[in-house]
């Protein structure tokens, strides 16, 4: 069993609880154990870095140091948490002065940021550590009848200088996983584009237009589902779906699944067990 | 087949350019023309287009000037991504082609289309004028030409990379928010504004900043990093956008725009609970009236599906919050000292 420190994102503790619920169901089936970091703090959600750059570095150095204390890599299931914490890690790794300043403060709590733990997305762990062949063998309910539109979300791809796993403009990782689960992933332009989440409360009209374009293309391509590895993308594409489509004069609907749910479905868990019934757009 | 024949085969091949065509004087709608030409390895897309124009179809229209990656005039979408035709190798694009041997060429997006591969740059220039994208000199006009107005090397390093921008508009073409609303300031203009505001010779910093925080300004960026990833000069455009936001919060506080209030709410929650209090985030960002008007129907749906975030009293503080608060306070004192030191210089 491979162990990881699991960074529980704020949104998964509140609005998208089904993500953690489904991971809890199947993690041991795939030979991984995610140990929740209850002392971790909000990463700042792509906002804290310009409100207070040094406090941003401190909060996320502490998040990573909590994982390092256990000798584990830090695993996240939210794209923006991934990008944000990795951005902080890059800054800390590239600046000995910042690292020293942060560690001087963290020392009082018995923590030290050393830069030894990697910060990774659950999707990457499934592909690189569990392995697609193992996943393929574990599939009990192949999703072979489904046409799935993979929606990567930005912060698992860009900036590539911080993330570096996939081609930021032509990603393949999620497609590969869907293939291993037996599903057919359809090619469409919006798979690597933005969902609009980060401007929902600041420029709502723009966000709704962005979301509507992605939804429209997936529906035009006759996808059965959209699947995303990011709970923020899910919140827009599922929760705001009817508003976005209505705002753009579009009709129809398309269910949106979390990555953790589509894995759970293929491993034989039911929609109810996985919390899919909690979605706004029913699957 | 001898080795030399194989080598020759790999170094030269037929390539099809599927080019977007539209002449508003004769065409009712755009279409694609295919041009198949034999090319040697090492040829750029621009040289191939020049060949087509000179030898195959003189009506094909595109812009090109320096042919050396400096002027930015030959920016176009090549295989679904905006880039400079003059620095893009045909052989590299063949590897990325969705249809074997076919390279798709289209005009930039998010700017009005004029003809074939040519777009109108006036909207971008208009925004640069609107946001005063030039150094408005602090030096009295009477001193102009009499003495140099120097900047330190240390200062220049803060905007060195931003000065690499050649205004090719590739970032503009790929911008998510501009695609959603044409009034959005655009990444290229934000980059220029950052560069001007960081220049100590400039005298209209606050005026420019006041414009940038208005509707369709710096807070509307959706953080998708597409501009940065497609910049032909590898300029960290999002760093500039974040730089303007940091500057706006520092100089104007967090109360005058929804974007700044939204960002400040994250800081508040982390200090108080170590985690986000999502239930009140819309209210703190836009006020109660906006929230009721815009989010009430969705809130009802969320309640029915039992996916509402818990109200503030029920959001548990993260374990170890006392230590985190103390640490944040200590770091805040470091930041205050940094500011004192900076202002004393």
């Amino acid at each position: 069993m491979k162990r990881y420190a699991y960074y529980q994102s704020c949104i998964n503790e509140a609005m998208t609880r089904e993500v953690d619920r489904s991971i809890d169901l199947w993690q041991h089936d795939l030979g991984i154990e995610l140990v929740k970091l209850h002392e971790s703090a909000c990463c700042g959600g792509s906002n804290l870095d310009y409100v207070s750059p040094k406090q941003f570095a401190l909060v996320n150095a502490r998040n990573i140091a909590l994982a390092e204390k256990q000798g584990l890599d830090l695993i996240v299931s939210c794209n923006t948490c991934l990008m944000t914490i990795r951005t902080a890690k890059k800054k800390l790794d590239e600046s000995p002065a910042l690292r020293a300043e942060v560690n001087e403060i963290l020392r009082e709590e018995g923590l030290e940021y050393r830069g030894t733990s990697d910060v990774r997305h659950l999707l990457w762990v499934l592909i690189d550590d569990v392995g697609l062949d193992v996943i393929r063998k574990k599939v009990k309910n192949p999703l072979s009848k489904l046409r799935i539109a993979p929606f990567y979300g930005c912060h698992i791809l860009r900036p590539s200088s911080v993330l570096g796993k996939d081609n930021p403009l032509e990603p393949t990782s999620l497609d590969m996983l869907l293939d291993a689960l037996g599903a057919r992933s359809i090619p469409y332009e919006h798979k690597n584009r933005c969902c609009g989440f980060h401007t929902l409360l600041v420029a709502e009209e723009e966000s709704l237009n962005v979301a509507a374009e992605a939804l429209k293309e997936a529906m035009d391509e006759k996808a059965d589902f959209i699947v995303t590895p990011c709970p923020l993308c899910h919140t827009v594409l599922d929760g705001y779906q009817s508003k976005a489509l209505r705002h753009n004069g579009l009709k129809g609907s398309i269910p949106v699944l979390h990555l953790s749910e589509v894995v759970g479905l293929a491993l034989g868990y039911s929609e109810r067990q996985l919390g899919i019934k909690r979605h706004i757009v029913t699957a | 087949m001898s080795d030399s024949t194989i080598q020759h085969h790999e170094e030269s091949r037929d390539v099809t350019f599927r080019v977007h065509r539209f002449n508003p004087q004769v065409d009712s709608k755009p279409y694609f023309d295919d041009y198949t030409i034999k090319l040697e390895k090492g040829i750029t897309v621009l040289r191939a287009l020049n060949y087509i124009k000179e030898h195959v179809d003189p009506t094909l229209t595109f812009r090109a000037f320096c042919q050396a990656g400096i002027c930015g005039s030959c920016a176009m979408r090549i295989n679904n991504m905006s880039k400079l035709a003059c620095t893009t190798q045909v052989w590299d694009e063949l590897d990325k082609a969705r249809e074997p041997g076919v390279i798709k060429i289209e005009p930039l997006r998010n700017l009005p289309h004029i003809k074939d591969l040519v777009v109108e740059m006036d909207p971008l220039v208009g925004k640069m004028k609107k946001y005063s994208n030039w150094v408005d000199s602090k030096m009295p006009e009477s001193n102009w030409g009499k003495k140099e107005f120097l900047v330190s090397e240390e200062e220049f390093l803060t905007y060195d990379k931003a000065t690499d921008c050649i205004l090719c508009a590739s970032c503009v073409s790929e911008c998510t928010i501009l695609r959603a609303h044409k009034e959005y300031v655009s990444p290229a203009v934000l980059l220029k504004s950052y560069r001007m505001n960081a220049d100590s010779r400039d005298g209209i910093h606050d005026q420019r900043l006041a414009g940038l925080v208005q509707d369709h300004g710096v807070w509307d960026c959706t953080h998708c990093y597409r501009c940065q990833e497609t910049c032909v000069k590898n300029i960290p455009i999002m760093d500039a956008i974040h730089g303007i936001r940091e500057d706006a919060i520092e100089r104007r506080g967090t109360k005058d725009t929804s974007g700044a209030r939204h960002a400040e709410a994250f800081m508040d929650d982390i200090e108080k609970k170590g985690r986000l209090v999502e239930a009140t985030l819309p209210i703190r960002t836009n006020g109660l009236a906006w929230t009721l008007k815009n989010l009430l129907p969705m809130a009802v749906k969320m309640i029915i599906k039992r996916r509402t975030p818990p109200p503030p009293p029920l959001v548990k503080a993260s374990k170890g919050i006392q230590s985190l608060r103390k640490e944040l306070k200590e770091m805040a004192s470091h930041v205050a000292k940094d500011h004192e030191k900076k202002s004393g210089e």
Side-chain angles (χ1 to χ4, degrees):
Chain A
M1 193 75 70
K2 289 176 186 156
R3 295 179 83 231
Y4 305 89
Y6 181 58
Y7 178 81
Q8 205 175 7
S9 311
C10 297
I11 193 157
N12 288 344
E13 288 186 320
M15 294 165 74
T16 53
R17 289 192 288 275
E18 65 274 12
V19 172
D20 287 349
R21 188 168 147 180
S22 44
I23 294 170
D24 284 344
L25 279 178
W26 53 251
Q27 55 176 309
H28 291 171
D29 297 349
L30 296 180
I32 58 174
E33 184 183 355
L34 303 180
V35 184
K36 281 180 186 153
L37 278 182
H38 296 291
E39 288 171 304
S40 63
C42 169
C43 65
S46 189
N47 284 285
L48 195 60
D49 48 346
Y50 46 81
V51 179
S52 176
K54 279 197 170 176
Q55 286 174 314
F56 161 73
L58 174 74
V59 166
N60 288 301
R62 183 176 174 274
N63 286 335
I64 300 168
L66 288 166
E68 287 182 351
K69 198 176 179 181
Q70 299 187 55
L72 302 173
D73 279 352
L74 185 68
I75 304 306
V76 298
S77 58
C78 166
N79 287 6
T80 295
C81 296
L82 175 79
M83 186 273 289
T84 304
I85 302 173
R86 281 181 73 96
T87 297
K89 179 171 169 55
K90 189 164 191 282
K91 285 183 180 171
L92 290 157
D93 290 344
E94 289 175 354
S95 170
L98 180 63
R99 209 162 58 236
E101 190 175 0
V102 160
N103 277 334
E104 187 194 319
I105 296 172
L106 289 180
R107 194 179 300 131
E108 292 166 30
E109 200 184 346
L111 292 171
E112 183 189 4
Y113 173 83
R114 296 189 301 273
T116 50
S117 287
D118 200 357
V119 179
R120 303 160 70 198
H121 196 284
L122 179 67
L123 173 63
W124 302 356
V125 169
L126 291 175
I127 290 172
D128 296 337
D129 294 8
V130 177
L132 295 173
D133 289 340
V134 170
I135 292 172
R136 222 170 253 121
K137 283 176 194 158
K138 297 274 182 182
V139 169
K140 289 180 184 162
N141 174 34
L143 308 175
S144 50
K145 288 182 183 165
L146 299 179
R147 286 170 56 83
I148 295 186
F151 190 89
Y152 283 76
C154 301
H155 294 162
I156 200 168
L157 303 172
R158 298 183 292 268
S160 55
S161 56
V162 168
L163 295 153
K165 162 77 180 164
D166 245 323
N167 178 337
L169 303 168
E170 293 282 348
T172 55
S173 55
L174 182 55
D175 294 73
M176 285 159 54
L177 179 67
L178 291 172
D179 178 66
L181 298 174
R184 271 185 299 164
S185 75
I186 59 162
Y188 73 124
E189 191 191 327
H190 276 79
K191 77 175 186 178
N192 64 18
R193 295 192 80 103
C194 177
C195 68
F197 177 87
H198 286 285
T199 40
L200 260 178
L201 297 179
V202 178
E204 193 192 26
E205 186 188 353
E206 284 83 336
S207 279
L208 296 176
N209 292 346
V210 169
E213 267 204 286
L215 291 163
K216 181 181 184 302
E217 198 193 355
M219 290 192 294
D220 286 350
E221 295 294 331
K222 307 269 187 281
D224 296 307
F225 295 102
I226 292 173
V227 169
T228 178
C230 178
L232 306 183
C233 297
H234 186 274
T235 299
V236 179
L237 298 176
D238 174 61
Y240 282 77
Q241 185 176 125
S242 62
K243 192 173 186 180
L245 293 177
R246 200 170 54 245
H247 183 76
N248 283 271
L250 300 167
K251 286 182 179 166
S253 70
I254 181 165
V256 186
L257 298 180
H258 296 285
L259 164 74
S260 56
E261 290 172 336
V262 81
V263 171
L265 282 174
L267 294 181
Y269 294 97
S270 70
E271 287 181 34
R272 184 168 290 281
Q273 282 176 299
L274 294 162
I276 293 174
K277 301 285 184 194
R278 297 182 75 239
H279 296 181
I280 300 295
V281 179
T282 47
Chain B
M1 195 182 287
S2 69
D3 284 353
S4 60
T5 318
I6 293 167
Q7 182 71 15
H8 179 73
H9 179 71
E10 287 175 344
E11 297 297 316
S12 145
R13 62 175 290 187
D14 285 341
V15 179
T16 299
F17 290 85
R18 184 156 295 159
V19 185
H20 180 106
R21 303 298 309 273
F22 179 63
N23 179 353
Q25 292 180 329
V26 292
D27 301 324
S28 58
K29 59 182 182 183
Y31 61 98
F32 284 91
D33 263 339
D34 279 2
Y35 302 100
T36 302
I37 52 175
K38 195 167 196 66
L39 290 177
E40 301 289 320
K41 189 175 181 181
I43 296 289
T44 65
V45 170
L46 182 58
R47 285 193 67 187
L49 290 176
N50 279 332
Y51 180 88
I52 292 167
K53 188 168 176 69
E54 284 167 22
H55 300 280
V56 185
D57 182 354
T59 69
L60 180 61
T61 305
F62 52 91
R63 279 201 193 103
F65 189 60
C66 79
Q67 314 205 31
I70 296 167
C71 76
S73 63
C74 67
M76 56 187 72
R77 290 192 104 227
I78 303 167
N79 278 340
N80 304 303
M81 196 51 59
S82 301
K83 47 185 84 168
L84 297 181
C86 69
T87 56
T88 303
Q89 288 286 324
V90 169
W91 251 243
D92 291 346
E93 288 305 315
L94 287 172
D95 293 340
K96 297 170 194 161
R98 288 185 185 167
E99 192 177 328
V102 178
I103 297 175
K104 197 172 166 190
I105 310 282
E106 297 165 284
L108 294 180
R109 286 182 174 177
N110 293 334
L111 289 164
H113 189 203
I114 296 177
K115 186 182 178 186
D116 291 349
L117 301 173
V118 176
V119 295
E120 177 78 75
M121 298 296 274
D122 285 0
L124 181 59
V125 174
K127 283 177 186 170
M128 292 181 66
K129 284 182 186 166
K130 180 181 171 184
Y131 294 97
S132 305
N133 276 189
W134 53 82
V135 169
D136 195 304
S137 182
K138 272 181 186 169
M139 183 189 276
E141 201 171 338
S142 55
N143 285 345
W144 289 6
K146 292 180 184 167
K147 63 174 187 178
E148 287 178 292
F149 201 170
L150 299 172
V151 295
S152 68
E153 194 173 336
E154 191 185 7
E155 179 194 316
F156 182 69
L157 285 174
T158 62
Y159 50 81
D160 181 11
K161 286 179 182 167
T163 64
D164 287 349
C165 175
I166 55 173
L167 288 172
C168 70
S170 285
C171 63
V172 169
S173 171
E174 297 299 327
C175 175
T176 298
I177 293 296
L178 200 58
R179 189 175 161 119
H181 205 298
K182 65 179 172 47
E183 293 300 316
Y184 174 56
V185 54
S186 86
V189 173
L190 287 171
L191 180 73
K192 284 282 172 200
S193 296
Y194 168 78
R195 178 256 171 278
M196 301 308 160
N197 269 1
D199 195 316
S200 62
R201 297 168 299 182
D202 176 69
I204 58 166
H205 176 287
D206 291 348
Q207 179 192 322
R208 191 181 294 112
L209 193 60
L212 291 167
V213 298
Q214 302 290 317
D215 282 350
H216 311 303
V218 68
W219 294 109
D220 287 15
C221 164
T222 190
H223 311 206
C224 75
Y225 284 85
R226 218 174 150 84
C227 55
Q228 180 165 310
E229 213 63 61
T230 51
C231 176
V232 301
K233 293 290 176 183
N234 296 316
I235 301 168
I237 302 175
M238 275 301 296
D239 285 358
I241 294 173
H242 277 196
I244 295 172
R245 289 176 169 194
E246 197 180 326
D247 191 21
I249 287 176
E250 199 176 313
R251 290 184 176 242
R252 301 175 61 88
T254 54
K255 304 297 174 211
D256 70 341
T257 60
S258 56
R261 287 193 296 270
H262 184 67
E264 182 67 6
F266 278 76
M267 186 77 242
D268 283 348
D269 285 352
I270 293 168
E271 282 174 339
K272 283 178 192 150
K273 299 212 170 189
R275 63 195 53 196
L276 206 54
V277 182
E278 286 171 287
T280 56
L281 198 55
I283 300 169
R284 286 178 289 161
T285 302
N286 289 311
L288 186 60
W290 183 96
T291 304
L292 289 173
K293 186 182 163 204
N294 288 278
L295 296 182
L296 193 58
M298 203 179 72
V300 172
K301 282 186 202 169
M302 301 284 270
I303 290 166
I304 292 168
K305 293 282 186 170
R306 290 188 295 160
R307 57 189 304 128
T308 44
L314 297 184
V315 177
K316 284 184 195 163
S318 59
K319 208 175 155 191
I321 185 66
Q322 300 298 343
S323 302
L324 177 64
R325 277 187 200 142
K326 203 174 151 198
E327 288 160 6
L328 284 168
K329 211 169 170 183
E330 197 173 333
M331 187 54 104
S333 73
H334 287 213
V335 174
K337 276 180 199 162
D338 290 347
H339 281 293
E340 273 174 34
K341 203 174 154 191
K342 204 173 156 187
S343 57
E345 277 171 1

